[in-house]
Amino acid sequence: MAEVRLELIEKIEGEAQVRYHYEKDHIDFAEILFLTGRGIERILEGRDPWDALAINPRVCGICGHAHLIATVRALEDCYDDLQVSAKAKQIRELTLAFEVLQNHFKWFYLTILPLLELKAPMERVLEPSRLLGEMIALLAGQYPHNSYAIPGGISGEITPVELLGVRERHQRIRKHFQESVIHVDLEQFVRCDRIETMLEREGDLPRAMQRILDWGWERLGRSHDRFIVFGSNDLFEAGKSIGTRLRRHLDLRYLQESPIQGSRARRVLYRGRSYETGPLARAMLLKTPLTREAHRRYGDSLFSRILARVCEIPRLLRYTESLIGSIDLSEPAWVDPGPLPVEAEGVGIVEAARGSLIHQVRVGEGKIQKYRIVTPTQWNLGNGSREDPGVAQAALIGLRRGDPAELVFKSFDVCSVCTTK
Amino acid sequence: MRLLWLSALACNGNAHSLLNYPGFQEWQEDFHWLYHPLLPSRYTFPEIEKGIEGVEVLIVDGTLEEGLIKNRLPYRELLLRYGDQAERIVTVGTCATFGGIFAQGGGGRSGLHFEGDEHLKGYERFWEKTVSLPGCPVQPEVLAGTLSIIRRRDPLPLDTLHRPKYFYAYTIHDGCTRNEYFEYKIDEHHFGTLEGCMFYDHGCQGTFTHGSCNKILWNGVNSKTRAGTPCLGCTEPDFPREGLWRTPKHMGIPARMPLGVPRRAYLGLAGIAKAFRIERFTRPLMEDEGG
Amino acid sequence: MSSTTERVDRKAKKREKIVRTALKLFAKQGFYTTTIPEIAGKIGMSVGNLYNYFSSKEILAQEIIREISAYLGSRIREVNDSDLHVREKIRRIVSIYFETARNEPEMIDFFLRVYLSNREVFHEGCEGMICVNEFVTEIMIFFDDGVANGELKNQDFFSAFGLFMGYLGGMVFLNGERILPRRLESYIDDISENIYNALKVP
Ligand code: SF4
Ligand code: SF4
C-alpha cells in the first residue's frame, strides 16, 4: 500500500520538510523540500563588491565565517597578482578552522546525541562553542558575523596578547575533547585504526557509536558512495572518489546547478552526477585510518558519517595548533591590493563544516553583476528523481518503518539556511 | 518565565549568538523554552501550530514576509495568536526589528513594526508591549539581560524605536580603542594596523550607531572596530546601506556627523584639532619611544 | 558693581581700539616695519600699557586675523542659513568679500599681506587654520550643503577652496594694484557665474 507522509524536520539550521513515500513497510522515495528562500544572491547584485564581505556571513548563523572566507577568496581571485602575507593567510585558516570545530561540537552534542537518546551535560557543548567563539573574536573582532578578512589580508593587527588568549583556550578545548569525547590521548586517537579500540573507551563518541551498533543501525543511511572535495589546504585534499577510487583533478566547469520543483533549494551535480561532500568525503580522500575502517565495514552509512565528522576534531586541533606555532607576527597583516579591477571574475572555495562551499562572483563596472553560492547542503540534500536520487534521498530510500529516518537525514547535518540563501 | 521563539526568514545567528552568553547555564534556569529553533524545548513546531497555552514572552526572529508559511500555517497567524497571548514581545535582531538584509531580497518583507525607519501598522496592537533588540546578530548579553529584566519586572527604559536604553543609549564609538585618532582628527587609516580610525575613509558608523559593542565587547573579548573593521551600523534601521567600507563625503567632509553633533561644532573642533600635528599619533603604537 | 562693569567695558573698548589701529598700520606698512611704540603712539597710550593688553606683536597680529575670520565667518553664515539656490549663495559670498574689500580694505589687505605672507608670525598659536577656523568652517558648510543638495560637484575640498578663494584674492589684489579697469563690484556677476560653473555638478 502506497502512503505519503509529510514531515517537518526541525532543530537543524532552519527547517526542511521531507515527503516520504512509503511502499508497504519501507521508504520507496523521499522528497526534501526547503520552503523559504531569502535571495542573498540577488541582494548582492549591483552592490559594491566589498559589501559582499559584510552581507555574506549573514547567509548563515552557524557557518557564516566560511562564507566570509569564500567571499574574500572570490574577490582576491578577481586580481591578477595579489599579495597576501603568510601571516594573514594563517590567521584566516585559523578562524575558519575554529568555526568548523565549533560546528562539529554543536552538531554532535545538540543534534546527534539526543537522537541516540544519550544525555550529556549541556556544558560539554556550551563550553567549547563559547571558547571557539572567543578565539575567533580575539582574531576577527566578533563571532558570529565578522568581516575581518578583506582583499589583501585581514582588517586588524594581531599581537602576542591575542595569540596567547587563543593558545590558552585551545589547550582547554583539547583537554575537554580528550576527557569527554574520546577519553584517550589525542595523538593516540589519531593513529587508531580499530573500531574496537575506540569503543573500549568511555567518552561520548564511543558511547554514541556503541549505541548505533547496539541498535543495529550501523549499515543504515548508505548512499551512492561517491564523494567530492573542492577545497584543499594543509589539512584537506581536493578530489573525488567513487568508493575508494580517487581522482584528484576537478574542474569547476563541470559544476551544474538546477532548480528543484516545489523547493527553494537548487540541486548541484558534477558531470551530471550527485556526490556527497563533507567530513566523510574529506576522510575518504585522505584515507584517514579509523574512518576508512568504518567505511570498509559499513560503507557510507550513518555510522561512518558520524564517526568521520567527530574524527575531524582532533585533526583540526592539531592543525590549528601547528598554525598558531608557525605564525610570524612581524609580517604585515594587510598589503594594499589596490582597487578591485572594474571588470573581473573570481572563485572562492572553502571547506566548511558540512563540506565544500563555492562562491563565484562577476564584477562589472565596479559593481557585483552576478554572485553565485553553492553550499554543501545543496550537494548532500539536493533532490533528484526516483531514477537519479540525490545523496540524502538515496540514503533514506529503503529504510523501513521504525528505522531512524531522522538520524539518517541529520547525519548529513542539514543547513537549510545556507541552502535557501 | 516561559519563552516562545519563532523565526521567519533568518540565518539563525541570533539563536547561536545566545549560546555564547557566558552565564548561559545559570541564566537558563529561570526560563523555559516552549520552543527554540536549536535548544531542547517543550513543544515541537507542529504542536506550536496546533496551539499551545502559557506563552509569556514571544521572541520574534527573522525578516517577515507577506504570505510566509513555515510548515502548514501562515506565519502571520502564529504571530497574531501568540502575540496576543504574550505579555511582552521581543524582536530579536535587525531582521525582525527593521527588516535587515533579507528585506532587500524581495517584496513584502519587513520587521514586525518597521520597514527601515517607516513605522508599519500591521501589528500595531503589539507595539506597546514590544521591545526591539536590533543587531546582526544581537549580542547575547543584550538578549539575556533584557529577558532577565523583563522577568524581574524591573523598569526597562526604551528609546523611540523601543530599544532598551541600558544597551542602546551608547554609541559603538564609546569605548573603541581607536578613539584618540578620532578625537585628534588623524584621518589616515590603513587596514591591518592597530592605529587609526575608520570614520574618515573606511565607512565606520560607530559614532552614530546605537549599541554596546565596545562596552560589553563581543564574546567578552573584542569588537569589530577594535579589530580594524568599520562598524557597519547593524543596529540601525538603514542597515545595510550601500558601500559599507567607504565614508560618503562631500568635498572631503564626512556626510554624516557623529550622533547629535551639529556640523558647525564638528568642523570647528576638527579645524582646531587638525592644526596640531601630534607626534604620538603619527608613530606606530609598538615602536620604541626613544627611536 | 556698576563700576566694575564700566571698567570691563572700558577695557574692551580700548582693546578694540588697539586692534583697529594695528590692523590699519599692519595692512599699510606690513608686519615688520610696524612697531608697538608706533601703534601705542597712534592711540595715545603708553607702550607699557599696550603690553598689558597684548604681550607681543605676534599675539596682536593673531588676534587680528581671528577677528577678521570671525567677521567674515558670521557674514557667510547668514548666507549658509538661507534657503537660497547655490548659485545665488555664491553671488552673496562674492559680494560680501568685495564689499569688505571696499569698506574695510585693511581687513583683506591684512589677510593677503600679513597673514598669508608672514607665516612665521602665526606659527605658534595659529597652527594650521585655527585662527581662520570660523571662516573656513562656513566655507566648508557651504560646500557640504551644495554637494548634499546635488548642486555642487563632489571633489577634493582644497581644489574647490583654492579655486574659490584664490580667485577672489587675486581680484582684490589686482584691484589694490589699480590694474583693474573697472570697479571691483562690477565684476561680481561674471565672477560668481565663473565660480558656479567651475564648481557645479557637470
Ligand atoms: S573606528 Fe569607528 S568606533 Fe572606533 S573611534 Fe573611529 S569612528 Fe569611533
Ligand atoms: S560594531 Fe556595528 S556592525 Fe558590528 S555588531 Fe556592533 S553595531 Fe553591528
Side-chain angles (χ1 to χ4, degrees):
Chain A
M1 250 264 299
E3 180 201 331
V4 179
R5 226 177 61 211
L6 187 69
E7 267 181 35
L8 177 74
I9 312 281
E10 324 169 47
K11 311 268 160 166
I12 53 176
E13 301 309 317
E15 288 88 15
Q17 287 179 336
V18 185
R19 195 182 288 136
Y20 292 109
H21 299 248
Y22 283 94
E23 185 64 51
K24 300 222 180 70
D25 67 335
H26 71 273
I27 296 173
D28 172 58
F29 187 52
E31 292 161 277
I32 302 161
L33 308 170
F34 296 99
L35 298 187
T36 57
R38 294 165 304 160
I40 293 251
E41 289 160 333
R42 213 174 329 136
I43 294 169
L44 291 168
E45 281 164 25
R47 276 189 169 261
D48 183 318
W50 275 55
D51 282 1
L53 300 165
I55 289 175
N56 290 349
R58 273 85 179 183
V59 169
C60 182
I62 190 164
C63 67
H65 202 64
H67 285 279
L68 171 70
I69 304 296
T71 306
V72 78
R73 287 182 183 166
L75 293 182
E76 286 180 344
D77 194 38
C78 291
Y79 288 85
D80 275 341
D81 180 28
L82 177 126
Q83 306 290 315
V84 178
S85 70
K87 174 171 98 173
K89 282 190 197 150
Q90 287 162 329
I91 289 169
R92 289 182 192 173
E93 276 289 307
L94 269 184
T95 53
L96 176 63
F98 291 157
E99 179 180 81
V100 175
L101 275 165
Q102 193 211 45
N103 283 203
H104 287 0
F105 276 107
K106 279 186 175 169
W107 170 79
F108 180 66
Y109 278 102
L110 291 175
T111 305
I112 298 302
L113 288 193
L115 288 172
L116 296 172
E117 293 171 29
L118 292 172
K119 282 202 177 6
M122 194 64 177
E123 203 42 31
R124 288 211 186 143
V125 57
L126 290 179
E127 195 196 10
S129 305
R130 191 178 57 242
L131 289 173
L132 285 156
E134 288 166 14
M135 289 152 83
I136 299 174
L138 279 165
L139 302 171
Q142 71 177 71
Y143 189 81
H145 296 348
N146 63 69
S147 301
Y148 91 120
I150 54 175
I154 58 176
S155 67
E157 177 60 298
I158 306 300
T159 74
V161 181
E162 286 79 40
L163 275 191
L164 178 66
V166 169
R167 261 199 207 98
E168 287 170 355
R169 288 170 175 84
H170 193 278
Q171 273 172 21
R172 180 76 210 99
I173 290 166
R174 183 186 173 121
K175 223 166 125 205
H176 164 73
F177 182 72
Q178 290 185 159
E179 281 168 9
S180 309
V181 184
I182 54 174
H183 205 249
V184 64
D185 179 70
L186 194 127
E187 300 301 325
Q188 215 176 315
F189 180 81
V190 175
R191 283 194 304 272
C192 171
D193 59 0
R194 289 193 59 242
I195 307 278
E196 282 69 26
T197 316
M198 179 267 298
L199 291 172
E200 275 162 18
R201 298 290 172 155
E202 284 161 17
D204 292 330
L205 174 68
R207 278 207 297 153
M209 303 322 287
Q210 188 62 53
R211 176 62 53 96
I212 294 173
L213 291 169
D214 290 346
W215 288 356
W217 291 351
E218 66 276 9
R219 287 188 170 77
L220 300 181
R222 270 172 298 165
S223 182
H224 301 303
D225 213 14
R226 292 194 296 259
F227 306 100
I228 204 157
V229 177
F230 282 89
S232 62
N233 55 16
D234 288 342
L235 186 62
F236 301 129
E237 284 174 29
K240 65 191 175 88
S241 88
I242 299 182
T244 46
R245 269 178 300 119
L246 298 189
R247 265 198 70 138
R248 290 278 166 223
H249 183 71
L250 294 178
D251 188 334
L252 280 181
R253 276 175 305 180
Y254 293 124
L255 205 69
Q256 280 165 268
E257 249 188 317
S258 51
I260 299 169
Q261 232 205 333
S263 173
R264 299 294 291 267
R266 290 188 307 244
R267 187 186 191 197
V268 54
L269 302 172
Y270 187 80
R271 296 193 87 151
R273 302 173 94 179
S274 51
Y275 285 84
E276 174 167 354
T277 183
L280 178 58
R282 296 193 284 247
M284 291 303 289
L285 267 290
L286 288 169
K287 301 185 192 274
T288 56
L290 201 58
T291 307
R292 198 168 50 166
E293 175 62 10
H295 181 265
R296 197 183 58 77
R297 290 196 200 178
Y298 311 123
D300 57 339
S301 69
L302 65 88
F303 186 97
S304 305
R305 209 165 279 127
I306 293 171
L307 183 67
R309 187 149 181 197
V310 179
C311 283
E312 237 179 52
I313 295 178
R315 294 171 47 76
L316 283 159
L317 286 173
R318 289 168 76 202
Y319 174 57
T320 47
E321 193 177 322
S322 81
L323 272 173
I324 297 168
S326 61
I327 292 174
D328 174 1
L329 284 178
S330 68
E331 290 179 19
W334 182 71
V335 182
D336 190 346
L340 198 83
V342 281
E343 311 282 335
E345 284 186 3
V347 180
I349 298 174
V350 156
E351 279 305 310
R354 292 160 193 74
S356 303
L357 170 65
I358 302 167
H359 281 212
Q360 288 167 290
V361 64
R362 192 166 75 225
V363 177
E365 292 170 18
K367 303 274 182 210
I368 295 174
Q369 256 178 7
K370 197 165 168 53
Y371 207 102
R372 234 177 90 184
I373 302 175
V374 175
T375 68
T377 302
Q378 281 177 264
W379 289 98
N380 292 340
L381 278 288
N383 263 343
S385 57
R386 279 174 192 268
E387 299 70 44
D388 173 25
V391 176
Q393 280 179 309
L396 289 168
I397 291 172
L399 292 181
R400 284 188 305 245
R401 282 179 210 272
D403 279 346
E406 190 178 349
L407 181 65
V408 168
F409 189 83
K410 289 186 177 176
S411 71
F412 291 98
D413 195 9
V414 193
C415 190
S416 136
V417 296
C418 278
T419 307
T420 55
K421 66 229 170 192
Chain B
M1 174 159 256
R2 291 179 300 272
L3 310 172
L4 175 67
W5 183 305
L6 293 178
S7 310
L9 305 179
C11 74
N12 255 6
N14 293 307
H16 281 285
S17 185
L18 179 61
L19 299 185
N20 294 333
Y21 183 51
F24 188 80
Q25 286 266 67
E26 295 70 30
W27 176 84
Q28 243 211 161
E29 283 168 16
D30 294 328
F31 295 94
H32 306 282
W33 292 111
L34 298 173
Y35 191 77
H36 183 280
L38 304 165
L39 296 167
S41 327
R42 173 149 358 137
Y43 297 104
T44 64
F45 193 75
E47 287 170 333
I48 301 295
E49 289 189 310
K50 244 180 252 143
I52 61 157
E53 292 299 324
V55 176
E56 290 176 282
V57 175
L58 171 65
I59 297 172
V60 182
D61 177 27
T63 307
L64 307 189
E65 184 181 49
E66 254 171 57
L68 175 70
I69 295 177
K70 284 280 281 186
N71 184 40
R72 285 167 199 276
L73 277 191
Y75 190 71
R76 182 174 163 82
E77 265 180 49
L78 293 177
L79 283 181
L80 290 173
R81 184 198 296 163
Y82 294 115
D84 279 328
Q85 210 179 97
E87 281 167 46
R88 287 312 271 273
I89 297 175
V90 174
T91 59
V92 58
T94 301
C95 291
T97 308
F98 303 121
I101 291 183
F102 308 138
Q104 300 186 354
R109 295 185 179 183
S110 68
L112 187 67
H113 296 292
F114 295 94
E115 187 179 344
D117 54 14
E118 187 195 343
H119 191 120
L120 308 173
K121 296 289 167 207
Y123 296 92
E124 190 57 14
R125 67 177 192 256
F126 298 152
W127 173 240
E128 275 315 309
K129 58 172 154 180
T130 300
V131 177
S132 307
L133 299 183
C136 190
V138 68
Q139 282 187 288
E141 291 80 359
V142 172
L143 176 53
T146 300
L147 288 172
S148 287
I149 294 170
I150 291 176
R151 192 186 73 84
R152 302 168 62 96
R153 298 184 190 281
D154 285 340
L156 184 65
L158 306 175
D159 69 13
T160 54
L161 302 174
H162 281 196
R163 298 176 292 198
K165 293 212 172 220
Y166 295 137
F167 302 107
Y168 295 88
Y170 309 93
T171 65
I172 303 310
H173 178 70
D174 282 346
C176 177
T177 51
R178 298 168 185 276
N179 257 323
E180 285 190 314
Y181 297 89
F182 179 85
E183 280 171 42
Y184 293 101
K185 304 291 151 225
I186 312 297
D187 49 17
E188 190 164 316
H189 168 261
H190 300 278
F191 289 114
T193 59
L194 299 168
E195 302 82 9
C197 162
M198 285 88 74
F199 176 77
Y200 308 100
D201 285 325
H202 294 133
C204 187
Q205 302 188 44
T207 57
F208 44 83
T209 299
H210 297 81
S212 289
C213 299
N214 272 311
K215 174 175 179 282
I216 291 174
L217 292 184
W218 275 94
N219 310 80
V221 296
N222 210 350
S223 71
K224 270 198 195 75
T225 61
R226 291 183 177 202
T229 310
C231 168
L232 311 169
C234 79
T235 58
E236 297 294 334
D238 61 351
F239 176 74
R241 71 163 172 75
E242 298 222 0
L244 288 159
W245 297 78
R246 276 181 286 115
T247 305
K249 281 190 270 194
H250 300 150
M251 298 212 192
I253 304 158
R256 264 189 90 171
M257 291 289 113
L259 195 67
V261 176
R263 226 168 8 152
R264 237 173 225 112
Y266 173 87
L267 290 173
L269 285 173
I272 293 171
K274 271 195 159 187
F276 300 94
R277 223 184 92 90
I278 298 170
E279 240 310 276
R280 180 158 76 85
F281 301 122
T282 62
R283 275 201 320 257
L285 283 171
M286 297 300 147
E287 194 182 88
D288 273 354
E289 279 158 65
Chain C
M1 183 72 203
S2 88
S3 76
T4 324
T5 337
E6 265 169 40
R7 205 164 49 238
V8 171
D9 234 38
R10 225 180 317 118
K11 283 202 93 165
K13 277 206 182 105
K14 193 87 186 201
R15 200 184 147 88
E16 177 62 29
K17 183 114 210 210
I18 300 171
V19 167
R20 286 258 138 213
T21 312
L23 168 60
K24 284 210 176 85
L25 289 173
F26 283 146
K28 205 160 106 208
Q29 313 169 175
F31 178 77
Y32 289 107
T33 41
T34 307
T35 63
I36 290 282
E38 193 183 354
I39 299 167
K42 258 253 147 60
I43 308 165
M45 71 194 290
S46 74
V47 173
N49 196 16
L50 195 150
Y51 277 120
N52 286 333
Y53 288 84
F54 298 97
S55 60
S56 72
K57 200 167 74 168
E58 281 76 10
I59 288 181
L60 178 52
Q62 291 176 5
E63 179 57 28
I64 292 173
I65 192 65
R66 259 187 233 111
E67 290 197 10
I68 296 174
S69 158
Y71 169 77
L72 285 174
S74 73
R75 302 269 334 249
I76 298 173
R77 179 169 178 163
E78 286 163 24
V79 177
N80 280 337
D81 287 345
S82 72
D83 299 324
L84 297 172
H85 185 268
V86 75
R87 193 178 199 146
E88 183 54 26
K89 282 184 178 171
I90 292 177
R91 234 191 80 89
R92 296 274 171 108
I93 296 174
V94 174
S95 310
I96 288 169
Y97 200 90
F98 286 177
E99 197 185 287
T100 311
R102 199 191 54 211
N103 298 340
E104 327 247 1
E106 56 288 345
M107 276 201 189
I108 305 292
D109 279 349
F110 183 91
F111 184 74
L112 298 175
R113 299 217 168 121
V114 180
Y115 181 68
L116 292 183
S117 316
N118 305 119
R119 296 299 298 141
E120 64 288 352
V121 173
F122 299 91
H123 237 91
E124 238 191 274
C126 278
E127 288 85 350
M129 301 210 279
I130 292 190
C131 293
V132 288
N133 212 356
E134 281 169 73
F135 168 69
V136 177
T137 296
E138 292 307 324
I139 296 292
M140 282 182 155
I141 287 175
F142 163 74
F143 284 154
D144 188 6
D145 284 342
V147 176
N149 297 338
E151 295 169 320
L152 295 183
K153 186 173 77 177
N154 201 358
Q155 56 172 310
D156 179 75
F157 170 74
F158 285 102
S159 316
F161 185 75
L163 182 129
F164 204 141
M165 291 304 136
Y167 195 175
L168 299 189
M171 292 303 287
V172 170
F173 174 81
L174 293 176
N175 187 51
E177 300 294 313
R178 304 183 191 288
I179 294 173
L180 291 186
R182 304 200 313 257
R183 278 163 51 90
L184 193 51
E185 285 81 356
S186 68
Y187 292 93
I188 290 178
D189 284 342
D190 285 350
I191 289 173
S192 305
E193 197 58 19
N194 288 344
I195 293 177
Y196 174 68
N197 284 331
L199 294 180
K200 71 175 187 205
V201 169

